[in-house]
Amino acid sequence: MTRFGNLVPAALVLTGLAFTASNAWANKVFVSNERDNTVTVLDSESWEVIDTFAVGNRPRGITISPDGKQLYVCVSDDDTVEVFDPDTYALLGTLPSGPDPELFVLAASGNPLYIANEDDNLVTVVDVHTRKVLAEVPVGVEPEGMAISPDGKVLINTSETTNMAHFIDTTSYEITHNVLVDARPRYAEFNHAATKLYVSAEVGGTVSVIDLTQAEPPVAKKITFEVPGVTAEWLQPVGIRVTNDDSKVFVALGPANRVAVIDGKTDEVQDYLMVGQRVWQLAFTPDEKYLVTTNGNSNDVSIIDVADNKVIKSVQVGQQPWGVVVSPN
């Protein structure tokens, strides 16, 4: 493990070179482990752990730039965002984030970065090149979930205590709509047609489907969950991912240890996939062949075959894995 560099064994380096030479080098999967202050790196072809490196205190949200050259990690207890080289794992610098950053989202261009600050009820907008704060947007109490529309014009923040999804204009930084959802909304995700916004409510136990085709976006449907043998209190939706063709929506159900598979057209639950304990966040590989889940209490990640709706593997990582992102190249 290293704070500023990569100590990959020679055998793995040679393996990596071999993959490069054959144009078959797999994508890297980065997993933030909030208890032991590390990021675990996996190979998305072998699903083996290829490295672990140290980061700041309580890493949670994690994302990567569109060109794959900067890895961003919310280190919540250090009140900052750390920026790493995804190849060498060297610390490149930090970004001002406001107190207790948890989740963030990058603009499609890679700049700016929009950060939820849970402790001061703000969304902080940061220029990743100049490392300057561009704006601070007051939102509801305990902001967490962040999403950006496919056209980049609308930013979404969910506030856990206010129980709202806030729609923010990315040019003016003004809130244009506040949509009430169920208790403790943790995550938001647009479909790619930008006709729907999915918002998970951890305590409410639902996913609100917000209709974006109307001038005042209403909650058109609330998706509920029912798993035989699992009490309703354990069905706590958190992370959400939607396939590029909008045909499937995957929802992490927390301590239910399941990922729900939802039909993206009808918004009906089609299946439940058993994964590790307290599944939290989700990330696709770039080809969407696989979906990776972080399982906080079993200290592992689960690998789901997206086409077959089947869990094919689990891999041990660090202590309390929280966030996950896959490199684009």
Side-chain angles (χ1 to χ4, degrees):
M1 181 191 304
T2 175
R3 181 77 165 91
F4 300 107
N6 179 9
L7 299 180
V8 179
L12 286 176
V13 173
L14 292 175
T15 301
L17 291 173
F19 276 127
T20 303
S22 64
N23 293 319
W25 173 248
N27 301 87
K28 287 181 176 180
V29 181
F30 297 93
V31 178
S32 60
N33 304 303
E34 68 169 320
R35 176 168 288 183
D36 61 9
N37 302 330
T38 63
V39 168
T40 299
V41 189
L42 295 87
D43 183 296
S44 71
E45 184 171 278
S46 67
W47 297 112
E48 294 178 351
V49 173
I50 58 176
D51 212 334
T52 299
F53 62 97
V55 297
N57 291 302
R58 199 182 179 215
R60 305 196 86 187
I62 186 168
T63 194
I64 196 165
S65 59
D67 61 9
K69 293 182 178 179
Q70 290 88 33
L71 179 73
Y72 301 95
V73 182
C74 281
V75 284
S76 298
D77 286 354
D78 289 342
D79 297 336
T80 192
V81 171
E82 292 184 331
V83 187
F84 293 90
D85 184 312
D87 294 321
T88 67
Y89 316 132
L91 180 66
L92 302 177
T94 61
L95 300 176
S97 71
D100 194 16
E102 286 205 26
L103 277 172
F104 47 19
V105 64
L106 269 170
S109 65
N111 193 36
L113 183 67
Y114 303 96
I115 308 165
N117 300 128
E118 187 170 33
D119 284 354
D120 66 354
N121 308 329
L122 292 175
V123 168
T124 301
V125 185
V126 178
D127 187 304
V128 300
H129 301 310
T130 65
R131 301 181 183 177
K132 301 293 186 182
V133 173
L134 300 177
E136 292 181 328
V137 184
V139 289
V141 179
E142 290 189 282
E144 177 156 338
M146 299 293 295
I148 194 163
S149 60
D151 64 7
K153 295 181 179 180
V154 179
L155 179 71
I156 302 294
N157 168 254
T158 64
S159 54
E160 295 179 47
T161 301
T162 309
N163 300 331
M164 283 184 174
H166 308 287
F167 288 62
I168 302 168
D169 184 297
T170 56
T171 300
S172 67
Y173 302 125
E174 297 292 327
I175 293 178
T176 58
H177 307 286
N178 293 301
V179 179
L180 187 67
V181 294
D182 284 339
R184 200 170 174 82
R186 298 302 296 261
Y187 203 84
E189 184 85 344
F190 285 88
N191 71 353
H192 294 82
T195 57
K196 299 177 185 178
L197 177 73
Y198 296 92
V199 179
S200 62
E202 183 181 25
V203 173
T206 64
V207 170
S208 291
V209 184
I210 299 175
D211 182 356
L212 303 179
T213 65
Q214 300 188 39
E216 290 293 330
V219 174
K221 182 174 183 174
K222 290 186 180 180
I223 302 171
T224 58
F225 306 94
E226 185 175 346
V227 178
V230 178
T231 62
E233 291 77 12
W234 290 76
L235 295 165
Q236 299 176 10
V238 278
I240 305 172
R241 290 296 183 202
V242 182
T243 56
N244 281 327
D245 63 2
D246 292 336
S247 65
K248 292 183 180 181
V249 182
F250 292 88
V251 180
L253 295 179
N257 307 335
R258 304 294 199 284
V259 170
V261 185
I262 296 167
D263 185 302
K265 182 177 181 180
T266 64
D267 295 321
E268 296 292 332
V269 178
Q270 302 294 306
D271 204 354
Y272 295 100
L273 310 179
M274 182 176 284
V275 291
Q277 297 173 17
R278 193 168 179 80
V279 55
W280 198 257
Q281 299 293 347
L282 313 168
F284 288 115
T285 54
D287 59 6
E288 289 192 348
K289 185 176 182 180
Y290 301 108
L291 180 72
V292 185
T293 80
T294 56
N295 312 315
N297 287 351
S298 51
N299 299 327
D300 62 1
V301 299
S302 298
I303 315 302
I304 296 172
D305 184 303
V306 172
D308 292 341
N309 291 343
K310 183 180 294 184
V311 179
I312 61 170
K313 193 177 184 66
S314 64
V315 183
Q316 289 294 125
V317 289
Q319 297 293 309
Q320 287 195 347
W322 199 92
V324 57
V325 70
V326 184
S327 67
N329 46 38

